[in-house]
């Protein structure tokens, strides 16, 4: 499932993203290239390849925005190249004290964040969808691949365990990359 880093093909493929907000808990953003593949037998399918990771703590949306922009530039990618970024629906809500929603703070920092869309918080069907993307495609490679430089996401996948009380769900608090990857992959048909 792990592949070498690559430059996305912006002319032929679709770029989508996933975002999970956190200040003290980790913030996580990944971009995926979705391409159409035809195997030797003529069967067509789609492959998603995660190629960019921005991950950390203790930053506001105004501080993350330029860092994300710089990371995208390393891959020749701009916000105009991204179809959508799927995020935790909670970031679209104002705070209980009436404070500005996290989504709106990102947009204020960079208009490109208008690409943010509500991801599905339906966790169990999302994990099923993610497992489907991890299966092997007709060409012998996984439908979903992750570049080796997305270290936090790879670590979360390796360490993911099922919840003893809810066996169809994952356990633990350290699933930020998994959550936002789930938002992105669940959005794909």
């Amino acid at each position: 499932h792990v592949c070498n880093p690559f430059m996305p093909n912006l002319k032929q493929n679709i770029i989508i993203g996933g975002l999970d907000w956190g200040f003290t808990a980790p913030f996580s953003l990944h971009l995926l290239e979705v391409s159409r593949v035809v195997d030797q037998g003529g069967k067509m399918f789609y492959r998603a390849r995660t190629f960019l990771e921005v991950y950390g703590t203790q930053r506001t949306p105004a501080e993350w925005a330029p860092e994300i922009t710089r990371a995208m530039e390393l891959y020749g990618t701009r916000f105009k190249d991204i179809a959508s970024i799927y995020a935790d629906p909670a970031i679209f809500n104002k705070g209980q004290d009436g404070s500005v929603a996290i989504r709106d703070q990102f947009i204020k920092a960079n208009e490109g964040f208008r690409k943010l869309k509500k991801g599905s918080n339906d966790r169990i069907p999302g994990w099923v969808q993610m497992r489907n993307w991890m299966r092997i495609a007709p060409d012998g490679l996984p439908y979903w691949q992750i570049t080796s430089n997305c270290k936090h996401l790879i670590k979360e996948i390796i360490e993911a365990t099922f919840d003893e009380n809810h066996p169809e769900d994952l356990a633990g608090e350290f699933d930020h990359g998994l959550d936002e990857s789930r938002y992105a992959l669940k959005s794909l048909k």
Side-chain angles (χ1 to χ4, degrees):
H1 290 86
V2 178
C3 63
N4 291 325
F6 64 91
M7 293 296 286
N9 184 336
L10 303 174
K11 292 184 179 176
Q12 290 187 333
N13 300 324
I14 296 169
I15 306 299
I16 65 167
L19 183 150
D20 191 46
W21 170 251
F23 184 81
T24 306
F27 167 86
S28 182
L29 175 132
H30 288 90
L31 293 183
L32 301 85
E33 174 189 64
V34 181
S35 59
R36 193 175 129 174
V37 180
V38 179
D39 73 3
Q40 291 179 344
K43 182 170 180 158
M44 194 277 296
F45 59 91
Y46 291 95
R47 173 162 288 124
R49 297 191 303 164
T50 300
F51 66 91
L52 179 144
E53 176 177 81
V54 178
Y55 192 98
T57 60
Q58 304 296 319
R59 294 192 185 125
T60 66
E63 292 168 322
W64 278 120
E67 184 167 335
I68 291 165
T69 302
R70 280 190 300 277
M72 288 175 16
E73 287 170 356
L74 294 174
Y75 290 91
T77 306
R78 295 175 294 200
F79 279 102
K80 73 176 189 69
D81 302 316
I82 301 171
S84 299
I85 301 171
Y86 296 90
D88 183 343
I91 74 164
F92 292 77
N93 303 329
K94 288 183 178 185
Q96 291 179 343
D97 61 356
S99 58
V100 177
I102 297 296
R103 173 193 178 262
D104 295 336
Q105 292 178 45
F106 272 108
I107 291 170
K108 184 177 180 187
N110 186 318
E111 283 289 318
F113 283 101
R114 290 202 179 276
K115 303 272 180 161
L116 284 169
K117 294 189 174 171
K118 290 181 182 181
S120 170
N121 252 346
D122 215 355
R123 289 175 61 93
I124 293 169
W127 300 136
V128 170
Q129 183 82 343
M130 186 178 279
R131 281 192 296 276
N132 285 337
W133 276 99
M134 294 181 88
R135 293 185 345 225
I136 302 301
D139 66 352
L141 297 172
Y143 287 102
W144 178 35
Q145 294 180 303
I146 304 159
T147 57
S148 58
N149 56 340
C150 295
K151 296 183 184 315
H152 293 94
L153 178 57
I154 292 167
K155 183 177 188 276
E156 287 182 15
I157 291 171
I158 291 168
E159 293 179 356
T161 58
F162 291 100
D163 187 319
E164 289 180 18
N165 297 320
H166 305 282
E168 298 297 318
D169 202 355
L170 294 182
E173 292 287 323
F174 299 102
D175 59 357
H176 307 284
L178 285 171
D179 273 341
E180 50 92 349
S181 293
R182 175 176 49 87
Y183 299 142
L185 291 170
K186 194 164 187 310
S187 76
L188 297 172
K189 304 296 178 227

